[in-house]
Amino acid sequence: MTTLTRRRDLQSPNETWRIFFGDVQAGTIAKRAEGPSGSPAWQWFCGFYPGSHPGEQQAGSAQSYEQARRAFEAAWHVFFSNRSPEDFDEWREHHAFTAWKYAMWDAGCRLPPQTPSGRSRCFCGTLIDLTTTVAHIRSSHMPPPQSFDPGQRD
Ligand SMILES: [Zn+2]
């Protein structure tokens, strides 16, 4: 089965781990900024959106990374048991579209809705318009779908 993995977020000033389930970000575990002594040192956030309903994401705090990790895993178990493959696809698509928009801006390209004609050129060189943009992003700027079936778990 697909397991959770973690990657250090080097952009964050405090120790922060981005937790992944395959290619989907499942949440974060992060050390808090210096607070009053005795306050919990770690916080965690579990779940992703879109691809879930409001209120399904959970968060909490803990005294140690290990405690935060255990609480996160328990929350993920609940969150994951309520997910369908389509939920993961929804998040992947949203993530890919957001990344594409930033790549367009970084390349100095305008999005079709920002042009008078409704047509533009993708940073990859392809001509796009209001009706073809979504299909173009799906076909050219999304990783291939990962096959996974939440019903099949070890
Ligand atoms: Zn393109």
Side-chain angles (χ1 to χ4, degrees):
M1 70 175 272
T2 306
T3 55
L4 294 169
T5 57
R6 65 176 192 169
R7 289 179 221 159
R8 182 80 187 262
D9 182 351
L10 298 172
Q11 310 291 326
S12 179
N14 299 314
E15 184 178 344
T16 298
W17 295 93
R18 292 168 5 122
I19 313 298
F20 285 85
F21 179 81
D23 61 335
V24 170
Q25 186 168 341
T28 55
I29 298 176
K31 202 165 194 171
R32 298 167 81 111
E34 202 68 39
S37 61
S39 67
W42 290 84
Q43 57 193 350
W44 56 269
F45 180 84
C46 178
F48 56 76
Y49 187 88
S52 66
H53 304 291
E56 283 193 295
Q57 295 166 303
Q58 290 190 55
S61 55
Q63 297 296 337
S64 67
Y65 175 84
E66 267 311 303
Q67 285 179 6
R69 190 181 63 82
R70 279 198 298 273
F72 179 96
E73 285 177 352
W76 175 253
H77 182 77
V78 173
F79 185 84
F80 182 70
S81 67
N82 290 311
R83 298 278 68 78
S84 69
E86 291 75 26
D87 293 336
F88 286 85
D89 289 343
E90 189 179 346
W91 185 89
R92 282 190 190 100
E93 185 161 297
H94 176 80
H95 189 70
F97 279 48
T98 302
W100 179 82
K101 263 189 250 176
Y102 279 107
M104 287 290 281
W105 291 333
D106 287 348
C109 300
R110 293 207 289 174
L111 307 179
Q114 297 172 319
T115 66
S117 64
R119 287 192 295 268
S120 186
R121 193 177 284 277
C122 179
F123 58 81
C124 73
T126 304
L127 284 170
I128 52 175
D129 64 30
L130 293 169
T131 61
T132 60
T133 300
V134 169
H136 173 69
I137 297 170
R138 284 193 182 127
S139 66
S140 301
H141 301 291
M142 274 188 75
Q146 298 205 340
S147 62
F148 110 91
D149 178 359
Q152 292 183 350
R153 307 182 66 174
D154 295 341

